[in-house]
Amino acid sequence: MPALIDAGYGMERLPGRGRANNWLISRNGRERRACLRTAADRWIAFPPTGTGWKTLDEVDIVIIATVDRVENPQAIEIYLLGADEVRSHFQAAYKARQAAGQRLTKNFGMWVALDLLENEDVRHAGSGILAGHEPAARLSLAELDGADEAIAGADVAGRPRDQIVRILDAARGAVAEITGLPVDKVRLSLSLDL
């Protein structure tokens, strides 16, 4: 997480189970446990356990790396929020969905919007996780090392499959830079609705 290190945070990756992305972060002599969530669509998920929340109940801080906006994003924003506050949003979402008779599956991620969505749709209960918060760090997409050049340099005259591979490779590199993960630990999927 180079952006947080640049902002004065010490970061140490904690060993975890499966694909857990947990960290020990420190600043001004204070250490706290944190987990990382990324959001290309400005929604994040935690799985309910029946008595709480997987990963969320094990940390003090939730680090959220998200695009500044879904349509035509210009930057990646990094937020640090108290786990108690994030938990309150997920609890509100859980209770609303339960009251609406939705089936809630243990250990299966439940998604909550980072932006406030004010309407009667039960899926929007608990939304607004980032309301009133400023990012701890902001990274311009245009400035990320090599990502724009690699995407712009894709051979548009080449085979479509080769173009897609080059674009996804560039995106994997950008995500690895943002999260501090090795490129080989970043997996992206592509879906086309034709």
Side-chain angles (χ1 to χ4, degrees), residues 4-5 38 43 57 67 77 127 134 143:
L4 289 179
I5 293 169
T38 58
W43 289 67
D57 287 344
V67 292
E77 296 176 336
S127 67
E134 293 295 322
E143 295 173 5

Side-chain angles (χ1 to χ4, degrees), residues 105-168:
T105 306
K106 291 179 187 176
N107 296 315
F108 187 78
M110 188 177 80
W111 294 87
V112 177
L114 299 176
D115 301 308
L116 185 59
L117 303 171
E118 298 181 292
N119 60 41
E120 299 301 316
D121 190 330
V122 71
R123 293 171 299 164
H124 297 168
S127 67
I129 293 171
L130 297 182
H133 293 283
E134 293 295 322
R138 191 170 197 277
L139 304 163
S140 166
L141 290 176
E143 295 173 5
L144 288 175
D145 289 345
D148 284 350
E149 292 82 4
I151 292 170
D155 180 5
V156 294
R159 293 178 25 213
R161 183 184 186 287
D162 294 338
Q163 294 170 32
I164 292 169
V165 168
R166 281 192 287 278
I167 290 168
L168 286 174

Side-chain angles (χ1 to χ4, degrees), residues 5-7 17 22 34 44 46 54 59 64 67 70 80 91 109-110 113 117 128 138 146 155-156 169 173 175 179:
I5 293 169
D6 290 347
R17 61 190 181 282
N22 295 333
I44 62 170
F46 283 101
K54 193 173 192 176
V59 298
I64 299 172
V67 292
V70 175
L80 282 83
Q91 282 302 116
M110 188 177 80
L117 303 171
R138 191 170 197 277
D155 180 5
V156 294
D169 284 346
V175 170
T179 62

